[in-house]
Amino acid sequence: MKNLFLVIILISLTSVNANETVIAKDSLSLILKENNLLSSEEKALMAIKSDNYAYIESVINRGLLNPKTVVDGKPLIIHAAILDKPEMILLLASYGAMIIDPVCEDGKNIMEYAKENNSILAQAQIIVIRA
C-alpha cells in the first residue's frame, strides 16, 4: 500500500507542467506563466507590483518599453502611484514619464489617483518631483 501511494505521488509530481507550478517567493505565491504568454505591459505591471526596478530599467534602456506606456487606460507611473510605490514613480519619472502631467483615459491625473488610493508616499514623491 505504501509503495502504491509513493508511486502515485511520484507520478503526479513528474507530470506537473511548469506553467502550473506554484512557487513561493518573498512570502508571495506566484503562479508562473511562460514569458511569451505575458505582454511587455503585463510584465511591467508585475515588476511595479514586486518592486523590480532592475527589470523596468533594463527594458526601458533596451528600448523595449516606453516609460509613458499606457496599460488598462493608465500610464505605468499612475499604476505605481495607485500601488504607493514612490521609488518606482521616481524611476519612471527619471526616464521621462512625468515630462507632461500623466493622465488616464478618463482625464484623472497622477495626484488624483494617489489621493484616491490613499497613497501617501506616492503623493510625497509626486510633490517632490513637481517642485
Side-chain angles (χ1 to χ4, degrees), residues 72-74 103-109 112-113:
D72 296 331
K74 299 175 192 72
V103 295
C104 72
E105 62 186 20
D106 296 332
K108 291 169 53 175
N109 70 20
E112 290 172 309
Y113 274 104

Side-chain angles (χ1 to χ4, degrees), residues 13 15-24 29-33:
L13 288 176
S15 65
V16 172
N17 187 339
N19 292 339
E20 300 167 354
T21 306
V22 176
I23 296 177
S29 292
L30 303 175
I31 297 175
L32 297 180
K33 292 184 178 180

Side-chain angles (χ1 to χ4, degrees), residues 21-129:
T21 306
V22 176
I23 296 177
K25 180 180 179 186
D26 297 330
S27 72
L28 297 173
S29 292
L30 303 175
I31 297 175
L32 297 180
K33 292 184 178 180
E34 286 189 31
N35 285 338
N36 59 355
L37 294 178
L38 294 175
S39 70
S40 59
E41 291 85 9
E42 291 172 317
K43 290 177 188 176
L45 284 179
M46 288 176 57
I48 290 170
K49 289 177 185 175
S50 63
D51 293 324
N52 190 345
Y53 308 107
Y55 175 79
I56 294 292
E57 197 165 22
S58 71
V59 293
I60 290 173
N61 285 333
R62 290 186 289 161
L64 301 174
L65 184 72
N66 184 327
K68 298 176 189 174
T69 299
V70 176
V71 181
D72 296 331
K74 299 175 192 72
L76 289 175
I77 198 162
I78 288 181
H79 286 284
I82 290 169
L83 295 168
D84 202 17
K85 304 287 185 175
E87 293 86 6
M88 193 62 73
I89 291 170
L90 183 59
L91 175 66
L92 290 166
S94 71
Y95 282 99
M98 279 189 64
I99 291 174
I100 298 174
D101 194 23
V103 295
C104 72
E105 62 186 20
D106 296 332
K108 291 169 53 175
N109 70 20
I110 188 170
M111 186 59 91
E112 290 172 309
Y113 274 104
K115 288 177 182 176
E116 183 178 293
N117 289 282
N118 201 27
S119 302
I120 304 301
L121 299 174
Q123 290 177 50
Q125 187 65 269
I126 294 163
I127 291 168
V128 168
I129 291 170

